[in-house]
Amino acid sequence: TPVQDLQYVYYLLSLIDELPQDKSILIYLLLKKWNEQKDISLEEKDYELSIHFLKTYTNNRVEDQLFQMLYILSIDQIVDDKTLRIWVENDFEKIIKWENEYLKDMQNKLRQEHRFVDDCYSLDIYEDLKKLLGYKKYLDSYKEIETEDEMKYALLFGLKECPYPMYSCFVMQSIEADHGVSRGSGLY
């Protein structure tokens, strides 16, 4: 079974330079997480995404920084697809800075849990990494993606294309088509 803590999984992947090139995957997965926690509700209509804020904060300090960036965009506690795509384009550097803080926060948590020995990772981190890479191989070689959880990991590993229309709100081609701008492939 895979490690369930999204922030920890993301951090483990960063240790071996396996983070997805598409930076929006993390935002997408956090939106799904917040939707499951009932912090927001997601509505898809005609391949357009709307985020409806049910709360003004989330229960994780570092995730809340991203949550607040999105909440500020809302009008009547709703952010539509077009606003979201423009925000990703305009605040791309802020998003990258936030992502680095997200990873640093996980490292600090691991230090507080004494999962470092003489500034090296403890064996349990290496064991979790082995388990994660084993799950990646299992999904890639032997498993048809069937569940939401499997899809989450397949996206993080860069194994499968996401079949969900909701993810399309982040795709670079949409921004290029709508706004005539390009950041190059794989940047977000």
Side-chain angles (χ1 to χ4, degrees):
T1 58
V3 180
Q4 293 298 314
D5 182 339
L6 175 63
Q7 187 180 12
Y8 182 52
V9 168
Y10 205 75
Y11 180 75
L12 289 177
L13 292 174
S14 77
L15 294 178
I16 56 170
D17 202 25
E18 285 280 333
L19 285 179
Q21 289 297 309
D22 185 347
K23 302 297 185 194
S24 63
I25 287 173
L26 178 58
I27 298 171
Y28 168 75
L29 293 174
L30 285 172
L31 286 173
K32 299 277 289 168
K33 177 183 176 186
W34 297 337
N35 187 53
E36 290 167 11
Q37 292 174 178
K38 306 288 188 228
D39 296 331
I40 62 172
S41 70
L42 298 170
E43 182 181 315
E44 297 172 56
K45 187 175 179 184
D46 300 325
Y47 295 100
E48 297 286 320
L49 171 71
S50 293
I51 303 168
H52 299 260
F53 288 89
L54 306 175
K55 295 182 181 176
T56 58
Y57 61 91
T58 188
N59 61 0
N60 177 298
R61 182 193 59 79
V62 73
E63 287 179 13
D64 195 56
Q65 293 169 356
L66 180 67
F67 190 90
Q68 293 306 315
M69 283 190 254
L70 291 167
Y71 187 76
I72 288 169
L73 299 173
S74 68
I75 298 172
D76 294 329
Q77 296 183 317
I78 299 172
V79 175
D80 65 13
D81 185 63
K82 183 178 177 184
T83 303
L84 186 60
R85 287 186 282 143
I86 292 170
W87 170 75
V88 170
E89 177 61 27
N90 289 338
D91 286 344
F92 186 74
E93 287 77 22
K94 272 189 197 176
I95 295 167
I96 295 300
K97 182 180 175 191
W98 171 81
E99 180 190 33
N100 291 333
E101 290 177 23
Y102 188 71
L103 293 170
K104 192 179 289 184
D105 180 67
M106 188 73 240
Q107 186 174 34
N108 290 337
K109 285 179 187 175
L110 294 173
R111 284 189 193 285
Q112 289 173 355
E113 295 170 3
H114 305 291
R115 294 178 72 186
F116 282 83
V117 179
D118 298 327
D119 276 341
C120 294
Y121 304 107
S122 62
L123 288 177
D124 65 324
I125 291 176
Y126 287 112
E127 290 300 316
D128 287 343
L129 192 51
K130 279 184 5 186
K131 194 184 313 181
L132 190 65
L133 292 175
Y135 188 61
K136 176 182 179 180
K137 186 173 184 174
Y138 168 71
L139 287 180
D140 193 30
S141 301
Y142 308 108
K143 183 78 172 84
E144 197 63 37
I145 305 301
E146 298 168 349
T147 68
E148 286 282 327
D149 211 35
E150 291 167 347
M151 178 54 70
K152 174 173 68 174
Y153 287 97
L155 285 171
L156 278 171
F157 297 144
L159 300 179
K160 310 281 184 199
E161 290 295 316
C162 183
Y164 304 118
M166 185 176 91
Y167 184 69
S168 68
C169 73
F170 296 110
V171 176
M172 189 65 212
Q173 292 83 354
S174 299
I175 291 176
E176 289 176 331
D178 290 353
H179 304 290
V181 294
S182 175
R183 288 196 172 272
S185 65
L187 280 177
Y188 98 123

